[in-house]
Amino acid sequence: LVWVIAMVKIKTCVFISGQGTNLKNLILKSRDCSFPVKINLVISDNKSAKGLNYAQKYKIPFLLINTKKKNYENKVLNHLKKNKIYLICLAGYMKIIPKRIINNFKGKIINIHPSLLPKFKGLNTFSRMLKNKEIKAGCTVHFVDEKLDSGNVIVKKMFYINNSDDEKILKKKTQKLEYKAYPEAIIKIFKNY
């Protein structure tokens, strides 16, 4: 007799605002039976986010939210609960996560940021790096807490900046690293799961 041990995958929701390239990468990784998570839900604050095409392509339910609506987090929390979500991954999500969601998912929300935190928190990281004449760039996967880009670091990846690198090139190089760093961070979190 051959026993097949099915790994119970962690139900995960990915929040996006734009292209969704990290979402696509995570969906593809999650199809590997040894990868600990399964993407069960996608949430976006932007109805024209290209990343929603990946949700449709891979038949993953998605939710559009209007962050200007009062108490919109109730809708989000209901959907997370309904889909039995355990982990939230922010992937190019351009809004601050409300305190209520953070409190409901303490230690279960992670984000990827296109800089070597604590340097260059927030937006416009690449232009700020170039202005600052930085020698190193990279990305950081970290836990989300109530302070912007301040939670505990899980994984950092770096590269050296060339004199010829502009914002576009920095973005491209950083994204390449992000596709390695995000899955690595998830594996690291659930290694002993």
Side-chain angles (χ1 to χ4, degrees), residues 13-130:
C13 174
V14 181
F15 281 51
I16 62 166
S17 292
Q19 300 295 323
T21 57
N22 269 304
L23 166 65
K24 180 192 178 190
N25 183 50
L26 289 176
I27 292 169
L28 295 175
K29 291 281 180 205
S30 72
R31 299 186 136 200
D32 180 335
C33 60
S34 65
F35 194 67
V37 306
K38 180 178 195 268
I39 314 301
N40 291 77
L41 181 66
V42 174
I43 291 179
S44 180
D45 63 313
N46 172 10
K47 63 175 188 291
S48 0
K50 286 208 173 99
L52 291 172
N53 296 333
Y54 297 122
Q56 287 171 312
K57 182 180 175 183
Y58 294 103
K59 296 178 177 41
I60 298 166
F62 64 88
L63 171 70
L64 281 173
I65 52 170
N66 179 355
T67 54
K68 287 178 182 75
K69 269 195 171 163
K70 206 172 181 258
N71 298 328
Y72 77 91
E73 62 264 38
N74 289 340
K75 189 179 179 182
V76 171
L77 283 167
N78 286 338
H79 265 76
L80 294 170
K81 209 173 170 177
K82 198 172 87 184
N83 288 278
K84 297 182 171 65
I85 298 299
Y86 181 85
L87 177 73
I88 295 172
C89 294
L90 309 180
Y93 183 66
M94 304 313 278
K95 296 278 185 235
I96 302 280
I97 298 291
K99 263 186 195 155
R100 254 189 83 205
I101 295 176
I102 291 173
N103 290 336
N104 272 272
F105 282 85
K106 255 202 168 42
K108 294 172 187 169
I109 306 175
I110 60 176
N111 181 39
I112 190 150
H113 185 75
S115 80
L116 298 166
L117 292 174
K119 280 189 163 186
F120 307 108
K121 295 176 180 183
L123 303 172
N124 308 315
T125 50
F126 304 123
S127 62
R128 284 157 57 209
M129 275 176 208
L130 292 170

